Amino acid sequence: MRDLFLGFLIFPILLVQKMGYQNIKEYTLKNGMKVLILEDNSSPIISLGIWYKVGSRNEVTGKTGISHLLEHMMFKGTKRIGSQEFSKIIQRIGGVDNAFTSNDATCYWEVFPKENLEKILELESDRMQNLVFREFEEEKKVVMEERRLRTENSPEGIFWEELYALSYKVHPYKNPVIGWMSDLENINLSDVKEHYKTYYSPNNAVMIIVGDVEEKKVISLVKKYFEKVPPVKNIPEMRIKEPKQMGERRMYIKKEGFSKKLGISFHISEAGSTDEIPLQILAYILGGDKTSRLYRKIVHEKGLATECFAYADIRIDPGLFIIVADLKLISSFEEVLSEILAEIEKIKNEDIEEKELVKAKNQIKASFVYSQQSVLRQNFIIGSFENLRGWKKILTYLDEVDKVSKEDIKRVANFYFAENSRNILYLEPILPQKLGEGK
């Protein structure tokens, strides 16, 4: 009854949110840059994001991490402004800014008072064209130290890096966004300049503006600062495809600390496929929260782990369905693995209760709504949809969630949870006393 009540509560909110995205206005400049505008007059602020269609997915062997390194260099100034001055200007006008690099995109964003829109457009246009790459060697060292801190010195970081490297053998998704250390050591300034010249072009970017704006005024200003930026010809396409996996893969790794983890991955479809939403719902049923099947079984009932979750990692190219358990030190890897595989077999072969499906759908829809409580979050939603599957898919997303049946869940479980597509990673901790014994 509580799940049904939750559905009644969120339905009007969902309807309002859905109607808001229907008001997105789309423009394409003469140089190929797409502009998406969503008016939201609830407060006098604006979020602006420029999404470049380049991430670690587009990197070649020997140059991993170059997209993330370029992201750092974008804050080092242009011919007109000095190093770190970009962010200082944003702060002086009462705004905030940042950026992130993912496997499939690089995004630069700002949130600021609405009267400063023209200034932000001027700044972003400037660094799209006139980056000067100050302090390159110093910033490369910063990125290398970031890798040491977040990955090489972290059991969690090592675990995730190795899980993807195990799951992919050919596709660039096997590489970490931050890059391999040997590649970072060898990337030079000419490499980064060429990456910038190749991918940071208006015809390889989408600008998203959300907030207290007037559509006609906004597009006029965007054209003023961006339409004369020349496009790049022949932007390289990423054509690498992961070959079909021919059998289960297992890997054991050890790392100093107390973290004992088990990871399982299965290859799944790409963003925009008909299986994407059923896979998301399946992930929630199996390991979406503390009431999910895996958490109840492995954490509550068996007491074998302190955490267990599942999610569908949806990307431009075929992604992964991932299950992770944080084991207690006394727990057996094989016992936890056996319990997880048993739950997978149950969902493949037994009926799913209607209330379980309804709850999963309601939670996914509620999460979708709650992720949009600011102009910045709305910007991220639009940008993510546009990058992965096209922004118009937002308009049908909630309807597509509602359409998923119990039969759809069983179908995708049986199709994707195949032994030959399975990868298993074991992280064994090297405890402090063992470290001492080895000296």
Side-chain angles (χ1 to χ4, degrees):
M1 184 66 183
R2 180 181 177 275
D3 299 328
L4 186 59
F5 180 65
L6 176 61
F8 284 127
L9 276 178
I10 66 176
F11 178 76
I13 304 174
L14 296 175
L15 185 60
V16 170
Q17 294 292 332
K18 182 176 176 182
M19 289 175 64
Y21 288 124
Q22 289 175 333
N23 295 323
I24 292 174
K25 304 299 182 184
E26 177 179 330
Y27 294 86
T28 301
L29 305 188
K30 292 178 181 179
N31 55 15
M33 189 172 87
K34 182 182 284 190
V35 182
L36 301 176
I37 302 169
L38 177 60
E39 293 188 34
D40 180 345
N41 307 119
S42 57
S43 59
I45 58 174
I46 296 171
S47 73
L48 185 147
I50 295 189
W51 296 67
Y52 291 96
K53 301 173 188 177
V54 58
S56 61
R57 169 181 176 270
N58 305 91
E59 296 167 354
V60 299
T61 302
K63 299 291 187 289
T64 64
I66 196 169
S67 299
H68 175 249
L69 179 55
L70 175 55
E71 176 210 313
H72 278 241
M73 296 309 300
M74 285 285 279
F75 292 89
K76 292 300 179 179
T78 66
K79 298 172 184 177
R80 295 176 54 241
I81 63 173
S83 178
Q84 306 301 329
E85 187 63 23
F86 187 99
S87 294
K88 291 177 182 177
I89 293 172
I90 304 295
Q91 292 169 10
R92 283 198 293 269
I93 63 175
V96 293
D97 74 311
N98 212 324
F100 62 84
T101 304
S102 71
N103 303 95
D104 295 323
T106 307
C107 173
Y108 300 86
W109 60 266
E110 299 87 24
V111 179
F112 50 90
K114 68 175 187 178
E115 60 269 20
N116 300 114
L117 174 60
E118 183 168 5
K119 183 63 178 178
I120 303 302
L121 291 171
E122 180 185 7
L123 289 169
E124 284 290 10
S125 174
D126 184 33
R127 69 173 173 179
M128 180 184 279
Q129 305 172 77
N130 302 312
L131 207 62
V132 293
F133 302 93
R134 297 184 182 95
E135 305 163 6
F136 171 73
E137 291 298 333
E138 292 85 348
E139 198 62 29
K140 188 168 83 165
K141 290 177 182 177
V142 170
V143 173
M144 292 167 67
E145 185 58 31
E146 181 183 340
R147 177 180 165 80
R148 291 188 190 96
L149 178 66
R150 296 185 178 182
T151 302
E152 297 183 357
N153 295 334
S154 165
E156 187 82 9
I158 288 290
F159 173 84
W160 286 104
E161 186 170 271
E162 292 296 338
L163 182 60
Y164 280 91
L166 174 66
S167 302
Y168 292 99
K169 292 302 178 186
V170 174
H171 195 284
Y173 287 158
K174 68 182 179 179
N175 300 315
V177 171
I178 200 168
W180 301 106
M181 185 62 84
S182 59
D183 288 350
L184 292 174
E185 291 170 346
N186 292 316
I187 290 172
N188 58 44
L189 180 56
S190 295
D191 294 328
V192 178
K193 285 183 176 180
E194 184 63 27
H195 199 68
Y196 172 74
K197 179 181 176 182
T198 301
Y199 291 104
Y200 278 48
S201 167
N203 55 318
N204 199 46
V206 178
M207 176 180 290
I208 300 170
I209 300 173
V210 180
D212 192 3
V213 296
E214 297 177 17
E215 177 192 341
K216 292 183 179 180
K217 181 178 179 181
V218 168
I219 198 60
S220 176
L221 288 172
V222 171
K223 288 180 178 180
K224 175 181 176 181
Y225 288 101
F226 285 89
E227 197 155 53
K228 293 181 180 179
V229 181
V232 169
K233 296 181 180 180
N234 302 318
I235 296 172
E237 292 186 32
M238 210 298 290
R239 300 179 183 273
I240 299 173
K241 294 183 178 181
E242 183 70 13
K244 183 178 181 180
Q245 187 169 322
M246 303 305 291
E248 182 187 82
R249 302 172 188 151
R250 297 197 184 202
M251 178 186 287
Y252 293 81
I253 59 175
K254 294 184 178 182
K255 180 64 180 174
E256 298 87 351
F258 296 90
S259 182
K260 187 174 185 178
K261 300 176 76 74
L262 173 68
I264 305 171
S265 73
F266 296 90
H267 291 276
I268 58 174
S269 59
E270 71 281 359
S273 78
T274 55
D275 292 340
E276 177 184 355
I277 294 176
L279 283 164
Q280 292 174 353
I281 296 174
L282 172 60
Y284 189 86
I285 291 172
L286 275 176
D289 63 15
K290 293 184 178 181
T291 66
S292 65
R293 294 188 179 195
L294 288 173
Y295 195 96
R296 288 201 317 267
K297 174 65 71 173
I298 294 170
V299 178
H300 283 322
E301 296 178 19
K302 298 290 185 176
L304 297 170
T306 58
E307 178 63 276
C308 189
F309 62 89
Y311 74 100
D313 185 8
I314 306 294
R315 300 185 178 184
I316 287 178
D317 297 321
L320 297 175
F321 191 102
I322 294 175
I323 300 170
V324 174
D326 291 326
L327 279 65
K328 294 181 179 179
L329 292 178
I330 60 173
S331 296
S332 160
F333 279 123
E334 294 310 315
E335 184 178 2
V336 174
L337 177 61
S338 177
E339 294 290 348
I340 292 174
L341 296 181
E343 289 300 319
I344 287 175
E345 288 305 310
K346 284 182 183 179
I347 208 161
K348 289 167 68 175
N349 298 302
E350 299 177 7
D351 285 338
I352 300 167
E353 292 187 13
E354 184 65 27
K355 66 178 182 180
E356 190 175 28
L357 179 61
V358 170
K359 178 186 176 184
K361 289 181 179 181
N362 285 341
Q363 292 291 351
I364 287 172
K365 291 188 290 186
S367 176
F368 181 70
V369 171
Y370 297 145
S371 68
Q372 304 166 39
Q373 298 304 302
S374 69
V375 291
L376 178 59
R377 289 177 179 269
Q378 291 177 62
N379 201 307
F380 287 170
I381 289 286
I382 298 168
S384 177
F385 267 80
E386 172 63 21
N387 183 57
L388 292 176
R389 58 188 75 78
W391 71 265
K392 291 181 181 178
K393 286 284 188 179
I394 301 175
L395 305 179
T396 59
Y397 179 74
L398 299 173
D399 293 333
E400 294 300 322
V401 171
D402 283 330
K403 289 178 183 177
V404 174
S405 66
K406 292 184 288 185
E407 290 72 27
D408 291 326
I409 302 300
K410 291 186 68 175
R411 175 181 57 79
V412 295
N414 278 278
F415 184 79
Y416 293 106
F417 290 161
E419 183 177 352
N420 283 349
S421 177
R422 189 166 67 211
N423 305 283
I424 302 172
L425 178 66
Y426 305 86
L427 171 61
E428 181 77 56
I430 302 176
L431 301 177
Q433 61 266 31
K434 292 185 178 180
L435 287 172
E437 291 169 3
K439 293 181 179 180

